[in-house]
Amino acid sequence: MLKVSMTSLGCAKNLIDSELMLGQLKSAGYEPVNDPLQADLILVNTCGFIGPAKKESIETILAMAEVKKQTGCRLIVAGCLTERYRSDLERDLPEVDGFLSLREIYQIDQLCRRLGMNPPREVDPAFYTQPYLFRYMTTPPHLAYLRISDGCDNRCSYCAIPSIRGKFRSRSIGGILTEARRLVDQGVKELMLIAQDLNRYGSDQSPETNIETLLKELCKIDQLPRIRIFYTHPAHYSEGFIEIIASEKKICNYLDIPLQHINDDMLRLMRRKTTAKSQKQLLWRLREQIPGIVIRTTMLVGMPGEKRRYFNELIRFMEEFQFDKLGAFAYSPEEGTPAYSFPNPVSERAKNRRLDELMATQQAISYEVHKRLRGERLSVLIDEYSEEEARWVGRSYRDAYEIDGLVKITLSCKPDMRPLRAGEFVDVRITDSDAYDLTGELVA
């Protein structure tokens, strides 16, 4: 049997593309393996979002090319980097046997045939009408991402994603629910909803198709305890969206809202379609209407035109609002975006200095946020036994998989407790914390 190894880079949306390609190849008779040295075919699904991601993608391709030299396997490169720079990659990377754009990922079996790697059998014809039902899951069995839409129409001045992923387009509610039920039947306990602009879901379809309707239908699925929401745009919040998060127990009181900045001049330069006032009103309203809400955001520093006083305004608001979770990145000039030719660039040194200052500020905030949780009792979904920690670890509703921190569970005080299992929920009383993780003891 032919064996295939996948290296998936970038975001969860990219991971789903990787799982779809693996699903198609598995349908054709390939065996997915983790070790590239064992593979007849190596796939690299690249990210092309910003400079560091592009660098990582190139380094990974070159590393897999070295594996190819050792084993004689085939090497295929797909994803966002290919979408943006295919002709350059084909010219500069002759060691790669084939490239696939985002529009071609469902043709990977055909590319394999052209390369002389004839799959053992034909792909199931149903794959081409319902590809999501053939996904080969790479997350733990109790977790799964669920993509509800793709593409983006926002055209932020610094962002290349619309030119890579295309226009915003929603999946049908029926297709999403069919996939969701199948995942739950397979043992998934937490569905992680993703999109580039999640709360705009359905705006390109009929008025009856909207995020509120979708969430209500997902909450009706039996045996699904937890739904988590990612990547919401602050300009597209509705009262109904807020109300359903507040009222539905299955939906985590956790929202990812990439704000990018809090200064009006920067928001205009970024073309974010929001104002500092509207963003602040939204944030305080969420805290008021959804008890215990955890808010994660992302900030962009060092974009052309960002004056030091604009950055200081951002730091002051972070200290005032105290985000539960916050990530940040330094501006990367991307060809084809309006900001690429903006005047008044910020030096690399200043960008990195601001990024370090912002993250140090958030680290102190996170420490205080976590400190206030000591003594609290949280329901924790067990992820795994960590050999490094020598204990079971999991996450409460406050922490997203592979993005946020962990709850480390101490069992020594409960020697008579039964062994834990990945995918089960347990109650944990928080006894200690740092800026990243929580530590707690199992509650009998």
Side-chain angles (χ1 to χ4, degrees):
M1 180 178 288
L2 293 171
K3 296 179 180 180
V4 55
S5 172
M6 169 70 78
T7 299
S8 188
L9 305 172
C11 65
K13 296 179 287 294
N14 226 33
L15 180 64
I16 288 180
D17 288 339
S18 297
E19 293 176 343
L20 290 169
M21 285 189 281
L22 287 175
Q24 183 182 26
L25 290 178
K26 190 171 187 299
S27 174
Y30 278 77
E31 178 189 353
V33 295
N34 293 324
D35 186 357
L37 290 169
Q38 298 178 4
D40 302 289
L41 170 63
I42 294 177
L43 297 177
V44 179
N45 195 15
T46 59
C47 178
F49 176 43
I50 57 176
K54 291 185 283 189
K55 182 174 183 288
E56 181 187 20
S57 292
I58 294 296
E59 289 174 349
T60 301
I61 295 169
L62 295 176
M64 292 301 105
E66 290 299 314
V67 175
K68 175 187 172 182
K69 287 182 182 178
Q70 296 179 47
T71 66
C73 68
R74 294 290 193 173
L75 174 59
I76 294 176
V77 173
C80 295
L81 195 72
T82 302
E83 188 74 28
R84 292 190 73 182
Y85 305 108
R86 181 166 186 158
S87 60
D88 294 336
L89 295 174
E90 289 176 334
R91 181 191 65 228
D92 297 337
L93 296 171
E95 51 268 79
V96 176
D97 296 296
F99 293 90
L100 291 171
S101 68
L102 292 174
R103 294 181 297 275
E104 297 171 329
I105 62 171
Y106 295 162
Q107 301 169 20
I108 189 168
D109 67 312
Q110 299 172 31
L111 176 56
C112 289
R113 292 180 190 280
R114 291 198 298 272
L115 295 176
M117 300 188 67
N118 294 327
R121 56 179 178 264
E122 294 292 329
V123 175
D124 188 325
F127 173 86
Y128 299 103
T129 56
Q130 294 182 303
Y132 285 89
L133 301 187
F134 288 80
R135 278 172 61 192
Y136 179 83
M137 305 304 296
T138 58
T139 49
H142 58 284
L143 301 169
Y145 291 104
L146 183 65
R147 181 161 60 192
I148 67 171
S149 67
D150 204 356
C152 184
D153 292 342
N154 290 315
R155 297 285 173 181
C156 299
S157 64
Y158 55 87
C159 184
I161 287 176
S163 63
I164 298 172
R165 287 272 172 186
K167 291 183 178 181
F168 179 84
R169 53 203 183 278
S170 303
R171 294 178 60 195
S172 70
I173 286 184
I176 294 170
L177 293 176
T178 298
E179 182 186 8
R181 293 188 186 105
R182 181 176 180 133
L183 291 170
V184 172
D185 288 344
Q186 293 172 350
V188 168
K189 302 297 183 183
E190 180 177 322
L191 279 179
M192 301 172 284
L193 273 57
I194 59 170
Q196 198 62 43
D197 190 353
L198 184 138
N199 45 335
R200 197 189 155 209
Y201 171 78
S203 62
D204 57 329
Q205 298 188 15
S206 66
E208 296 77 23
T209 304
N210 53 59
I211 187 62
E212 294 89 347
T213 301
L214 175 61
L215 289 173
K216 289 176 183 176
E217 292 301 316
L218 287 170
C219 287
K220 294 176 183 178
I221 298 176
D222 293 334
Q223 309 304 316
L224 173 60
R226 183 184 280 182
I227 299 169
R228 191 179 298 275
I229 294 172
F230 286 107
Y231 315 130
T232 61
H233 195 293
H236 300 150
Y237 269 73
S238 67
E239 195 59 37
F241 181 56
I242 297 173
E243 287 176 358
I244 193 169
I245 296 168
S247 61
E248 288 286 357
K249 292 182 179 181
K250 290 188 176 186
I251 302 175
C252 292
N253 287 354
Y254 175 108
L255 285 169
D256 186 297
I257 316 172
L259 299 176
Q260 309 304 353
H261 218 285
I262 205 68
N263 171 268
D264 274 325
D265 287 342
M266 291 310 303
L267 292 172
R268 280 193 292 271
L269 282 172
M270 292 177 174
R271 301 182 184 177
R272 288 292 290 166
K273 303 176 184 177
T274 60
T275 64
K277 181 179 179 180
S278 66
Q279 291 193 152
K280 292 175 182 178
Q281 288 176 338
L282 171 64
L283 293 171
W284 292 114
R285 188 163 90 250
L286 290 171
R287 281 207 172 151
E288 178 183 351
Q289 294 183 227
I290 308 176
I293 185 68
V294 170
I295 297 178
R296 160 172 276 285
T297 192
T298 304
M299 298 299 182
L300 169 59
V301 300
M303 185 171 153
E306 185 189 50
K307 300 177 181 178
R308 177 69 206 197
R309 60 188 174 92
Y310 297 166
F311 176 75
N312 290 343
E313 182 181 343
L314 172 57
I315 294 292
R316 285 195 300 271
F317 182 72
M318 286 172 55
E319 293 172 334
E320 175 190 2
F321 186 76
Q322 300 217 330
F323 290 97
D324 301 271
K325 318 284 181 181
L326 185 146
F329 59 100
Y331 170 76
S332 172
E334 297 300 318
E335 304 96 323
T337 63
Y340 188 75
S341 57
F342 279 5
N344 305 314
V346 178
S347 70
E348 288 298 317
R349 182 180 179 184
K351 283 193 287 188
N352 292 329
R353 191 165 56 237
R354 290 178 192 181
L355 181 61
D356 290 344
E357 182 180 342
L358 183 144
M359 293 312 299
T361 300
Q362 181 59 33
Q363 186 176 37
I365 292 170
S366 295
Y367 179 83
E368 292 301 320
V369 169
H370 280 176
K371 186 177 179 181
R372 293 195 288 269
L373 293 171
R374 296 175 188 177
E376 293 289 322
R377 180 170 169 166
L378 297 173
S379 176
V380 173
L381 176 59
I382 301 297
D383 282 334
E384 64 177 353
Y385 182 83
S386 169
E387 297 291 345
E388 180 181 352
E389 293 287 338
R391 67 178 100 192
W392 289 91
V393 297
R395 295 164 299 102
S396 74
Y397 81 95
R398 301 182 57 86
D399 294 294
Y401 175 67
E402 290 193 329
I403 297 174
D404 301 320
L406 300 169
V407 179
K408 304 172 183 179
I409 300 172
T410 301
L411 291 175
S412 58
C413 58
K414 302 283 184 182
D416 58 331
M417 296 297 292
R418 60 184 171 79
L420 302 181
R421 297 185 305 275
E424 72 171 321
F425 287 87
V426 296
D427 285 345
V428 175
R429 182 175 291 107
I430 304 305
T431 57
D432 200 3
S433 62
D434 56 30
Y436 305 101
D437 302 318
L438 303 174
T439 301
E441 59 185 24
L442 207 60
V443 177

